[in-house]
Amino acid sequence: ALQHQFIQCQFVVQGVGIFLFPTHHSGKACHHFIITVKRSYICGLSMGGYGTWDIIAEYPDYFAAAVPICGGCDIGTAEALVDMPIYIVHGAKDGVVPVYYSREMYKALKAAGSTSVIYEELPDYDHNAWDYVTEHEEILVWMFEQTRQGRK
C-alpha cells in the first residue's frame, strides 16, 4: 500500500493537472502543508494530460516526476524534458485524444536521450486509461520514488 499522503490542488492550463505533494502523516494536510521541493509531482488526465505536458515544458526543472495520462503535447519540447522522469499512459483505442500524441512524444524523448521515460500503451483501453492508473498502484509508487536529487 502507498505510504504517502498527498494534497490535490487543481489548476487550469488547457485543462486540469494535479499536483501531488507528499506530506507528513499528521492528518492535518489542510492546515499544514509540508512540501519538499525536490518531491513535487504532476499528473493529469485527458485535458489535464495536455496541461501536464504544457506545465512541465514551461517548468522542466520544477517537478520530480510527471504522469500524463491520455494527453497530447508538442514534441518540440522533448529536449527540454530529457532529464525528467515521465511515465506516459495512453489507451490504444482512444477516440478522444489520439494515442499518436503519446507515441510520438515517447519517441521524441528517447531520441533526445531520455533514459527516464516510461511509456505504457494499453491495448484494451480507450480514453479511460486513468482507470488503469488507479488500478495499478505501482505507477504512483514509481512516481513517489522519484526526486529531483541530482537535477537542478
Side-chain angles (χ1 to χ4, degrees), residues 75-132:
I75 63 169
T77 63
E79 198 165 306
L81 300 173
V82 73
D83 294 326
M84 178 180 285
I86 302 172
Y87 200 121
I88 306 166
V89 181
H90 211 122
K93 299 176 181 177
D94 194 331
V96 178
V97 178
V99 69
Y100 167 84
Y101 293 117
S102 290
R103 284 180 192 153
E104 292 304 305
M105 187 55 152
Y106 174 72
K107 290 177 192 174
L109 285 164
K110 293 303 276 184
S114 176
T115 59
S116 56
V117 62
I118 299 170
Y119 176 56
E120 260 193 274
E121 186 170 315
L122 311 171
D124 298 325
Y125 284 78
D126 51 30
H127 194 57
N128 66 328
W130 52 83
D131 290 340
Y132 178 85

Side-chain angles (χ1 to χ4, degrees), residues 7-11 16-21 33:
I7 303 162
Q8 293 185 355
C9 303
Q10 296 184 349
F11 57 94
V16 177
I18 301 172
F19 281 102
L20 299 175
F21 298 109
F33 298 100

Side-chain angles (χ1 to χ4, degrees), residues 37 52 67 87 125:
V37 177
T52 296
V67 181
Y87 200 121
Y125 284 78

